[in-house]
Amino acid sequence: MIIWIISIFALLTSCVQQQEQPLLSGYMWGGEGNRMIISAPNDSLFLPDTLLISSSGQIYWNPDTIVPGLYLLSKTSGESLLLQISAREPVFVDAQYIIFPDHVQLNGSEHSIQFLAIERISKEWLSEMNRMTSIVDSPSWTPTPVNVENLYEDLDSLKNIFRGRALELSRAPMVRMYALLQRAGNHSLFDPWSDRNLFYRADSMLENQKYLREVEVFTNMVGKIRQREKEFQSFNPDRPFPDIEFIQNGETISIEDFKGSHLYLEFPSTDFTLSRVQLNRLTTLHSEGFEVCFVLNPEDDYNIQRNTLFRYLKLQDYKYMMIPIGKPPVNFIVNDQGIIIARNVWDEQIDEVKNFLLTSAANEN
């Protein structure tokens, strides 16, 4: 009986201790009397909470409910550390207040130090970009095409250096996800579309972390990228050009209206201009039986000197439709049966595709 009572008491004591164990606790040595702030950068409904550092340096946070995810533990001066917090594993912090978030000892949030390293890469990247682009304010710098191109090349090289560093530091799935989402100002370190295979691989490795808020959001985003790729593939060569409606002079037309003629279809950028060589090439296309069409965004102004030989179409829901088509300039060559023969071919390649189509038609006859 005595052994049974002792066992029950030990079990109850264990349960009480587990219930009383806070989600976040620890020590901020040297910060007695100061405050820390806990916030959720990816949850607009979460109200930041203030934690008082006790006279013995302790901090304690144990809300009634919590959404598992990433939370920022910050000093009032702004220095912060990203913590992965859930009811599954409480977090214990052991830090020096004056140098926080450096040299922090953690239990329960294994990736926080790596998150911090990734954030510092982004900040360093932004600083280097600002330093590099400050040259445009110099009186000795002029925005010639060569200088502008060289600057863009330098910025691309710089970005690739920091991308490499971020990938090297982000071997763990959660850290890789965090690295892929990094931004510096208005610039993304990784592009969800161009770098979609990196996003796919990260998502596939996060199956066991989908209970976390940020992982759920990331998975939904990757799902949209996959859907976009599926739509993008519908514009690949050897497929019928999708049934899109265009507007010309207030009338609706579709790809069906061009059947019987080969079609050159271009979605130009807003700074579109035709050189003499390009104009001659497209004029030759038209003289050999091709319809030459330019598809424009109704909301943009194009500095286009219109040619009566060509058609100028408008596309409703332009921004949405361009997601699977790609970023302008984009072009397609479609045969007289509405099948895409080539995508994004320019200059001499246009002539090669034209000759292929005309030769094939002559052989069939």
Side-chain angles (χ1 to χ4, degrees):
M1 176 67 72
I2 293 176
I3 294 176
W4 182 78
I5 292 174
I6 293 174
S7 298
I8 295 296
F9 179 77
L11 178 63
L12 291 174
T13 302
S14 174
C15 291
V16 169
Q17 288 175 343
Q18 288 180 5
Q19 290 174 354
E20 291 179 349
Q21 189 174 12
L23 288 176
L24 173 64
S25 61
Y27 290 91
M28 285 287 165
W29 303 107
E32 295 81 355
N34 287 288
R35 288 173 169 78
M36 302 293 290
I37 298 170
I38 189 83
S39 60
N42 301 307
D43 187 350
S44 59
L45 299 179
F46 181 86
L47 297 177
D49 210 348
T50 301
L51 316 181
L52 178 65
I53 303 174
S54 72
S55 58
S56 59
Q58 288 183 297
I59 58 170
Y60 176 98
W61 185 60
N62 199 33
D64 294 332
T65 60
I66 187 174
V67 177
L70 300 179
Y71 291 80
L72 270 180
L73 179 64
S74 309
K75 293 164 64 173
T76 53
S77 54
E79 297 88 346
S80 61
L81 185 66
L82 196 63
L83 303 174
Q84 181 177 315
I85 301 179
S86 72
R88 297 186 179 191
E89 187 175 12
V91 176
F92 185 87
V93 180
D94 190 352
Q96 297 286 337
Y97 179 81
I98 193 68
I99 61 171
F100 178 85
D102 290 317
H103 305 297
V104 173
Q105 299 296 318
L106 287 166
N107 287 323
S109 182
E110 59 179 322
H111 301 307
S112 292
I113 304 305
Q114 293 157 296
F115 291 150
L116 180 62
I118 294 294
E119 290 171 10
R120 287 177 171 172
I121 284 176
S122 294
K123 291 177 181 178
E124 186 181 349
W125 176 43
L126 178 60
S127 176
E128 286 299 307
M129 279 195 297
N130 290 336
R131 180 190 62 77
M132 192 172 285
T133 55
S134 66
I135 191 175
V136 303
D137 296 324
S138 171
S140 61
W141 192 86
T142 54
T144 64
V146 172
N147 285 341
V148 171
E149 183 178 355
N150 288 340
L151 179 58
Y152 277 123
E153 288 180 356
D154 290 343
L155 288 170
D156 286 341
S157 297
L158 180 71
K159 182 177 181 179
N160 287 333
I161 291 171
F162 283 94
R163 281 163 56 93
R165 288 174 56 184
L167 291 176
E168 182 64 27
L169 283 172
S170 59
R171 301 300 178 88
M174 279 295 295
V175 185
R176 175 58 57 89
M177 179 194 77
Y178 193 63
L180 292 177
L181 298 176
Q182 285 302 296
R183 296 182 62 84
N186 295 323
H187 304 278
S188 297
L189 191 56
F190 296 91
D191 179 72
W193 176 246
S194 302
D195 299 310
R196 58 190 178 277
N197 288 329
L198 289 174
F199 283 75
Y200 293 163
R201 285 197 291 272
D203 181 55
S204 68
M205 295 187 294
L206 287 166
E207 189 65 35
N208 295 331
Q209 283 81 35
K210 290 191 176 179
Y211 66 94
L212 297 169
R213 170 185 53 228
E214 286 77 8
V215 175
E216 181 181 3
V217 172
F218 182 78
T219 295
N220 291 338
M221 182 189 73
V222 172
K224 292 178 181 179
I225 299 173
R226 293 184 191 276
Q227 179 60 33
R228 178 182 174 186
E229 183 169 27
K230 184 178 179 181
E231 295 171 351
F232 183 84
Q233 290 172 350
S234 67
F235 288 90
N236 283 345
D238 299 325
R239 292 173 178 251
F241 194 91
D243 187 20
I244 296 177
E245 291 187 345
F246 304 102
I247 305 296
Q248 182 181 21
N249 299 326
E251 295 184 2
T252 300
I253 60 175
S254 71
I255 207 71
E256 289 288 327
D257 295 309
F258 295 101
K259 281 194 173 179
S261 299
H262 299 314
L263 172 65
Y264 175 86
L265 192 65
E266 181 173 337
F267 297 77
S269 56
T270 53
D271 59 353
F272 165 75
T273 57
L274 279 178
S275 68
R276 184 178 296 276
V277 172
Q278 291 170 322
L279 178 60
N280 290 339
R281 178 170 286 114
L282 296 182
T283 300
T284 301
L285 272 183
H286 181 269
S287 68
E288 297 188 16
F290 281 73
E291 289 279 2
V292 177
C293 301
F294 294 94
V295 183
L296 312 178
N297 181 354
E299 299 179 1
D300 282 337
D301 294 325
Y302 293 81
N303 185 25
I304 296 178
Q305 186 174 359
R306 304 204 175 203
N307 189 302
T308 56
L309 298 178
F310 309 148
R311 293 200 195 195
Y312 299 88
L313 313 177
K314 292 185 178 180
L315 179 62
Q316 301 299 328
D317 297 324
Y318 181 90
K319 290 183 180 178
Y320 173 78
M321 292 303 303
M322 290 305 292
I323 291 175
I325 292 173
K327 183 179 179 180
V330 179
N331 70 7
F332 298 90
I333 296 180
V334 182
N335 71 9
D336 54 4
Q337 299 302 310
I339 305 299
I340 300 172
I341 302 300
R343 173 180 183 156
N344 286 343
V345 291
W346 308 96
D347 304 324
E348 292 83 1
Q349 291 178 323
I350 295 175
D351 296 330
E352 293 173 5
V353 177
K354 175 199 71 174
N355 293 335
F356 167 77
L357 282 174
L358 296 179
T359 301
S360 298
N363 290 338
E364 290 176 2
N365 295 330

